Amino acid sequence: MLRIRPLCLATPVLVVLTGCGRDEPTPRTTQIIVQPQGQQPQAATLVAPAAPPPPHAEFVPPPPPGMGPVVWQPGRWVFSGGNWAWQPGQYVTPPPGNTTWIPGRWVQQPTGGWMWVDGHWA
């Protein structure tokens, strides 16, 4: 009959138990990024002192040939240097998975000024 030495049994047990030791926990860092779904961060908030003029009626031309699938983004009023200027609409290629452009808008603030809220894809 074979006799197994106690040291032969203890060695594998010690090897396994050595790997089960506890290391010092690594400190966790949590980063929270809050961004409304489908919107891009704005570079700066612009507040106009008065409401924008009524939008221009725009003729929407046919899309340029060879652009592939495109979506018309309507024109809008831009407030710059104390004056309102019309920025005409344009065709743009939608990002993958998105096909609907939700236009931006001017929103009146409680202070009385008007702030531009960027459009976004949905």
Side-chain angles (χ1 to χ4, degrees):
M1 176 169 248
L2 276 178
R3 289 197 64 184
I4 300 177
R5 293 186 168 187
L7 183 58
C8 292
L9 289 176
T11 303
V13 172
L14 288 174
V15 170
V16 170
L17 289 177
T18 328
C20 295
R22 293 182 66 142
D23 291 336
E24 288 297 316
T26 306
R28 290 187 173 187
T29 57
T30 303
Q31 182 180 12
I32 299 173
I33 300 172
V34 178
Q35 181 176 339
Q37 181 178 358
Q39 291 191 3
Q40 301 297 321
Q42 290 180 293
T45 301
L46 176 66
V47 177
H56 279 246
E58 286 187 295
F59 170 73
V60 180
M67 275 191 79
V70 291
V71 174
W72 177 258
Q73 287 182 342
R76 67 182 184 103
W77 285 105
V78 177
F79 187 76
S80 178
N83 296 311
W84 289 102
W86 181 254
Q87 178 180 343
Q90 62 183 350
Y91 278 105
V92 296
T93 304
N98 296 301
T99 57
T100 304
W101 174 250
I102 309 299
R105 64 194 183 285
W106 284 97
V107 177
Q108 188 170 22
Q109 300 301 294
T111 59
W114 289 76
M115 183 179 78
W116 175 254
V117 177
D118 280 336
H120 62 277
W121 291 98

